[in-house]
Amino acid sequence: MTFIPPMETLSIEPEKIDYVSILITVGVGLLVWTVARFIILRITRRVASGSSFFKKPHFKWVQPAIRALDHERRSQRAQTIGSLLTSLVSVIVVVIVIIYVLKYMNVDVAPLLTSVGILGVAIGFGAQQLIRDFLAGIFITIEDQYGIGDVIVTSEVIGTVESVGLRITRVRAEDGAIWYLRNGEILRVGNRSQGDYVPLDAPEPNDDDQSTKVTAGAATGSAPKPEEKASE
């Protein structure tokens, strides 16, 4: 006859949660985020104020991205890049801290990571245009294709750039209208402020034009009037 032990002897103790490791992980995450944010802010302020640190010979590779610009334009580019780096660091730190906290809480993170990966793929397919706009805005900012105050020519509008963001570029057209252009939709852009632009509809007067005017006046029976008539 099989002996069945009483229910009291079958109690299972739950796995203990390592609260000390959780607190240490959260503290290290906050410390890393604070230090990274401080470094990014310092670099952003240096670039915005026109620091000459990156003008040294061994930093020639980065000079096209941070060349000397006017204060407003340089400040906006520095703030945009700083905001992007801060957001990226924040997401990385938060994800790593959450994974380690769940691990110390005795949660199996493998199925969770798989679910998050599938969800990320689904969100990526649904937000392709948004991701495209952000990537285009990043490259426009880093490569300095145009900035505040530049006169640009696109397939949609010709006007002056008033703001450059990661998703939207705001342009004031020649008629005064404000255009909001999605960065991912700007396939070709001409920057009149960076090159030696000369309007094609404003030719300089020359001797041929003057002779043409005189010939036309003689043909119509009118002659140019002299400015002063010599007194007899």
Side-chain angles (χ1 to χ4, degrees):
M1 185 173 182
T2 306
F3 173 74
I4 300 177
M7 295 298 297
E8 291 79 10
T9 61
L10 295 178
S11 60
I12 302 175
E13 295 183 359
E15 297 182 1
K16 296 181 179 179
I17 298 177
D18 194 350
Y19 293 101
V20 176
S21 299
I22 292 176
L23 292 176
I24 293 176
T25 302
V26 174
V28 171
L30 289 175
L31 180 62
V32 171
W33 180 82
T34 303
V35 173
R37 179 176 170 80
F38 175 76
I39 294 175
I40 293 173
L41 288 177
R42 288 291 300 272
I43 295 176
T44 301
R45 290 174 182 174
R46 278 178 171 266
V47 175
S49 61
S51 175
S52 60
F53 176 76
F54 292 101
K55 297 180 181 180
K56 296 181 180 180
H58 49 280
F59 283 110
K60 288 183 178 179
W61 59 274
V62 80
Q63 289 179 8
I66 55 174
R67 63 190 179 194
L69 302 169
D70 59 275
H71 180 70
E72 183 180 6
R73 177 174 174 177
R74 184 172 58 243
S75 298
Q76 188 196 44
R77 293 181 66 240
Q79 291 175 3
T80 302
I81 296 176
S83 176
L84 175 65
L85 292 177
T86 301
S87 301
L88 182 62
V89 170
S90 300
V91 171
I92 293 175
V93 171
V94 168
V95 169
I96 293 177
V97 168
I98 290 177
I99 292 175
Y100 274 94
V101 167
L102 293 177
K103 179 180 178 182
Y104 291 132
M105 293 177 65
N106 301 313
V107 176
D108 189 7
V109 296
L112 181 61
L113 292 178
T114 303
S115 302
V116 170
I118 296 174
L119 181 61
V121 172
I123 293 176
F125 277 110
Q128 288 183 1
Q129 187 60 53
L130 182 62
I131 296 174
R132 179 182 176 185
D133 294 338
F134 272 93
L135 291 177
I138 292 172
F139 284 106
I140 288 173
T141 303
I142 293 177
E143 296 174 359
D144 191 25
Q145 297 179 14
Y146 53 80
I148 295 177
D150 285 354
V151 178
I152 63 173
V153 181
T154 68
S155 57
E156 291 85 7
V157 64
I158 301 176
T160 304
V161 178
E162 292 191 343
S163 175
V164 181
L166 291 178
R167 194 179 71 90
I168 292 293
T169 294
R170 189 173 72 238
V171 179
R172 180 178 293 274
E174 296 176 345
D175 58 358
I178 300 295
W179 286 68
Y180 296 89
L181 307 178
R182 292 166 54 179
N183 294 329
E185 298 293 334
I186 303 177
L187 302 181
R188 295 187 302 173
V189 58
N191 194 328
R192 294 181 177 179
S193 300
Q194 290 183 352
D196 299 327
Y197 171 73
V198 177
L200 299 178
D201 56 349
E204 296 182 357
N206 50 34
D207 296 338
D208 295 337
D209 295 338
Q210 296 295 337
S211 60
T212 302
K213 291 181 180 180
V214 172
T215 304
T220 57
S222 61
K225 297 181 180 180
E227 296 181 357
E228 295 182 357
K229 186 176 181 181
S231 57
E232 297 179 356

